[in-house]
Amino acid sequence: MARRYLRLLGAQLRIAGLVSLQYRADFFTDGLLSLFWLGVNVAPLAVVYGRRETLAGWSFPEALIVIGWFTWLKGILDGAVNPCLTAIVEHIRKGTLDFVLLKPADAQFLVSTAKFAPWRGVDSVGGLLLLAFAFVRLQRWPTPGAVLAALLLLCTAVALLYSLWLIAISVAFWVVRLDNLAFLFGSVFDAARWPVSVFRGAWRFLFTFVIPLAILTTYPSLALLGRLDARTGLFAVLGTLAFFVLARQIWRRAILHYSSASS
Amino acid sequence: MPAAFSAASIEVRELRKHYQVHRRSAGLWAALRSVARRPRETVRAVDGISFSIAPGERVGFLGPNGAGKTTTLKLLAGLLYPSSGRLRVAGFEPFRREAEFLRKITLVMGQKQQLLWDLPPLETFELNRALYEIPRRQYDETLGELTELLDLGRIARSPTRQLSLGERMKCELCAALLHRPEVLFLDEPTIGLDVSMQLSLRRFVRAYNERFGATVLLTSHYMDDVLALCPRVVVIDRGTIRYDGDLGSLVRTLRPEKLVSVRFSAPVPPAEFGRFGKLQNAEGDRAVFLFPQDALQAGVARILAELPLADLSIEDPPLEEVMRELFAASARDEGPAPGGAP
């Protein structure tokens, strides 16, 4: 079973690669845009830290780590998640989701791996450079254990991002006109560029428990800095697992709704 | 599997699909009111239909727009969940969408495409090979056969966006049949195609059906498709079956007359026509007479003997006319059409 789906993933990635080769100009525009956005992302930090040494306990280079992580994840969001999101909404609108549902493979897997924009991977490289720069400014490097914990949390962050995305597209089955969905999703995700401790009161609760953006960038950054306690790490992994199960359930309900309502 | 289902490829009993839809009248006030309260209405897209199709049969599924044809096809393909009733396709309950079931069927929709727009159709074929887990040897063999039957040649290697509508439809059929399905649901497969392309697709569907013994259920607005492919038709209107049986007897029941078309070799005064039978129309050196079946032989004999003829042909009335009459009768609520209704 796992081998079959790995083979299918290979086939889907191959197609995505071939399609993106048709649009080679995107590589250059995406690359340039990515550099531009890297600058835009760092600018507010520079402004804030121009007047103070720390913000909610985070120094400038430490906050840069959060931004670096955010940029890396944004590369994944734009490269692998958003293209599928746009494609599924298009499928529902045009009625071609029928073809996906008629294939003898899990429909969730098929729609989740249908489209990639590999050129957007440039963002991820930018994110890594930013992380390296931040550690140079900190004048120390993370321990191997910290890197390992951060990589585990990267997987958690991607799984969480994916679950949030799956919940969002499931909504598309009820409300077909979702042109702004990707935009809304991007805007919420944008808040993850700040360490979650920057937010106070209701916002902090919202971004930790309801839309757990803390898991996306703050916790992996803390792990890299060696400041994340094991209990919080475990909470992140279990929380993500719960989100994943919830997302799968909502998706299944959505497919059932599609099957019983459309013609 | 119940014994009753064992012999049939498709078995449908009292199948229903009802939808709840919101209804509101036109105008701003109605729009505002509908925000607070949305009256619902039940649409009976499919309302208690029953039929069964044997393996290898080719059946035409006919009806006016909104009759319930596509809904029924989607129910049979497992894309929709039935409101009530029983159905089996190739031994499976479609709505469970088991992988084994999906490997046995295919759905081709003339108005929707599965081909990847930016890549040559060959890439879609390759993706379907992975999805259906078709062994390489069988894939090469089937692709070879389909390429020959559909005359695909170089078009499978050109980007889909550069192909004509007809070429794309050929490739759609190829993509849909690579896994050698036992049951083909074809929803308006020839829509928008020119006459020669329609002809070649019909020839292909018939060849596939004969070579692989596949069951074919076809919907089409082109009566020529139905005439060429389907010995049996199921006519559906407003969610219920109006006729199920042999195409020839449907035509004979609804329009018992035969059309006798003649071309004269010398001018004939129009006043003469009345002597031979009911005249449908006359123009220049041509005339068309209508004869009831039992008077046909005598009528034709008289025309041959008494009129100066260059040519004579005997035909059934065009299927389009027959269908128009059937649907008009159904709209007037005159009860089910005569014939072999289930």
Side-chain angles (χ1 to χ4, degrees):
Chain A
M1 186 72 160
R3 266 181 58 191
R4 167 161 199 237
Y5 277 91
L6 273 178
R7 264 207 304 273
L8 273 183
L9 180 66
Q12 300 258 77
L13 280 175
R14 185 176 156 275
I15 294 288
L18 287 174
V19 171
S20 62
L21 280 174
Q22 304 266 322
Y23 299 97
R24 272 165 295 188
D26 285 9
F27 176 68
F28 298 104
T29 47
D30 283 358
L32 283 176
L33 273 176
S34 169
L35 282 179
F36 170 73
W37 283 112
L38 203 62
V40 170
N41 285 339
V42 176
L45 270 197
V47 171
V48 170
Y49 283 97
R51 292 168 180 273
R52 54 204 297 176
E53 281 295 305
T54 61
L55 177 67
W58 293 73
S59 69
F60 179 58
E62 286 168 350
L64 269 186
I65 292 176
V66 180
I67 294 269
W69 206 263
F70 170 79
T71 312
W72 196 0
L73 272 180
K74 192 163 165 49
I76 296 176
L77 182 73
D78 289 344
V81 179
N82 271 347
C84 291
L85 171 66
T86 327
I88 179 89
V89 175
E90 192 73 359
H91 266 320
I92 298 170
R93 204 175 53 79
K94 284 188 185 164
T96 44
L97 189 71
D98 292 347
F99 289 120
V100 179
L101 296 176
L102 284 172
K103 297 288 186 289
D106 186 73
Q108 183 189 336
F109 173 84
L110 291 181
V111 296
S112 309
T113 55
K115 215 170 173 188
F116 296 94
W119 304 136
R120 299 312 301 262
V122 178
D123 264 350
S124 297
V125 178
L128 276 181
L129 287 176
L130 213 54
L131 283 178
F133 176 71
F135 276 101
V136 168
R137 285 284 299 263
L138 280 172
Q139 293 179 328
R140 65 183 172 87
W141 291 97
T143 62
V147 172
L148 214 64
L151 284 178
L152 174 72
L153 285 171
L154 171 71
C155 298
T156 310
V158 173
L160 179 68
L161 213 52
Y162 170 78
S163 307
L164 283 172
W165 163 80
L166 194 64
I167 292 172
I169 59 163
S170 298
V171 175
F173 285 88
W174 282 276
V175 193
V176 179
R177 290 205 55 179
L178 273 183
D179 306 341
N180 287 326
L181 188 65
F183 183 72
L184 174 80
F185 199 57
S187 306
V188 173
F189 177 67
D190 243 22
R193 75 174 66 220
W194 298 99
V196 78
S197 52
V198 167
F199 300 102
R200 294 266 166 248
W203 290 109
R204 188 161 180 179
F205 181 83
L206 178 77
F207 291 140
T208 308
F209 298 104
V210 184
I211 310 168
L213 295 180
I215 295 175
L216 296 183
T217 52
T218 309
Y219 294 168
S221 304
L222 284 172
L224 263 187
L225 289 165
R227 288 190 348 216
L228 186 77
D229 60 277
R231 227 184 53 171
T232 313
L234 195 68
F235 155 76
V237 173
L238 292 180
T240 300
L241 209 65
F243 241 88
F244 187 81
V245 173
L246 176 75
R248 170 92 181 152
Q249 289 307 318
I250 293 178
W251 162 263
R252 290 170 78 110
R253 287 287 301 268
I255 284 286
L256 204 67
H257 174 80
Y258 177 82
S259 302
S260 59
S262 67
S263 83
Chain B
M1 195 162 65
F5 285 121
S6 59
S9 177
I10 300 173
E11 184 76 38
V12 176
R13 287 273 169 269
E14 287 299 312
L15 182 64
R16 284 187 172 77
K17 178 69 190 171
H18 295 174
Y19 297 107
Q20 290 281 321
V21 292
H22 300 296
R23 281 268 183 268
R24 69 168 171 84
S25 333
L28 182 64
W29 176 237
L32 285 173
R33 226 175 23 191
S34 77
V35 175
R37 206 175 135 266
R38 312 185 76 183
R40 281 162 175 260
E41 194 176 284
T42 303
V43 173
R44 298 165 190 273
V46 173
D47 203 18
I49 62 171
S50 303
F51 59 87
S52 106
I53 297 175
E57 243 191 302
R58 295 189 305 266
V59 177
F61 203 43
L62 303 175
N65 287 333
K69 300 187 298 284
T70 302
T71 305
T72 308
L73 281 197
K74 286 190 169 187
L75 284 161
L76 293 174
L79 288 169
L80 295 178
Y81 197 91
S83 304
S84 71
R86 292 171 67 190
L87 71 163
R88 284 238 163 204
V89 175
F92 291 87
E93 287 178 305
F95 55 85
R96 295 190 191 281
R97 275 211 292 274
E98 291 160 82
E100 267 320 293
F101 164 71
L102 295 172
R103 281 178 221 278
K104 284 181 190 257
I105 64 149
T106 203
L107 172 65
V108 175
M109 292 177 272
Q111 316 223 42
K112 295 176 189 172
Q113 67 161 36
Q114 65 163 319
L115 294 174
L116 298 157
W117 187 246
D118 292 311
L119 299 176
L122 217 46
E123 297 298 343
T124 307
F125 302 163
E126 193 59 42
L127 184 64
N128 279 1
R129 186 185 73 76
L131 283 165
Y132 285 98
E133 296 178 285
I134 309 168
R136 175 61 70 178
R137 235 181 96 187
Q138 187 195 322
Y139 170 78
D140 289 341
E141 197 185 305
T142 314
L143 183 59
E145 275 182 288
L146 293 175
T147 303
E148 181 205 315
L149 280 171
L150 285 163
D151 193 18
L152 290 184
R154 54 150 201 98
I155 61 175
R157 293 176 194 281
S158 312
T160 302
R161 59 168 185 266
Q162 290 174 6
L163 300 178
S164 71
L165 183 65
E167 289 171 334
R168 283 208 302 273
M169 193 26 107
K170 281 181 168 185
C171 295
E172 281 290 332
L173 273 170
C174 183
L177 297 175
L178 278 169
H179 59 290
R180 288 194 192 162
E182 285 173 25
V183 182
L184 273 59
F185 299 114
L186 307 177
D187 192 13
E188 312 256 1
T190 54
I191 199 158
L193 302 186
D194 64 41
V195 179
S196 79
M197 194 59 86
Q198 285 179 24
L199 208 64
S200 82
L201 283 194
R202 273 177 221 140
R203 223 177 275 144
F204 167 75
V205 172
R206 181 187 275 267
Y208 183 90
N209 157 265
E210 282 166 1
R211 194 175 292 192
F212 298 103
T215 310
V216 178
L217 186 56
L218 165 99
T219 78
S220 180
H221 276 116
Y222 298 124
M223 292 304 158
D224 288 343
D225 284 351
V226 181
L227 266 177
L229 281 172
C230 308
R232 173 182 163 197
V233 292
V234 174
V235 180
I236 183 170
D237 191 18
R238 286 178 296 168
T240 57
I241 288 183
R242 313 293 299 181
Y243 178 85
D244 178 358
D246 159 56
L247 184 57
S249 36
L250 172 68
V251 175
R252 279 192 298 277
T253 318
L254 279 171
R255 292 287 299 267
E257 302 106 339
K258 286 267 184 190
L259 297 179
V260 177
S261 310
V262 293
R263 189 159 61 83
F264 304 114
S265 55
V268 177
E272 292 278 294
F273 294 149
R275 291 198 297 123
F276 295 92
K278 192 170 155 196
L279 182 74
Q280 191 183 48
N281 63 60
E283 206 181 321
D285 61 349
R286 288 164 196 274
V288 180
F289 296 97
L290 284 173
F291 284 104
Q293 295 281 352
D294 52 357
L296 179 68
Q297 213 174 346
V300 171
R302 271 192 75 196
I303 291 173
L304 283 170
E306 297 176 28
L307 289 171
L309 292 188
D311 193 15
L312 179 144
S313 64
I314 304 170
E315 292 155 14
D316 280 321
L319 195 52
E320 272 84 358
E321 273 182 29
V322 178
M323 286 298 142
R324 231 183 353 254
E325 276 182 27
L326 182 59
F327 299 149
S330 138
R332 287 194 303 269
D333 261 333
E334 289 180 359

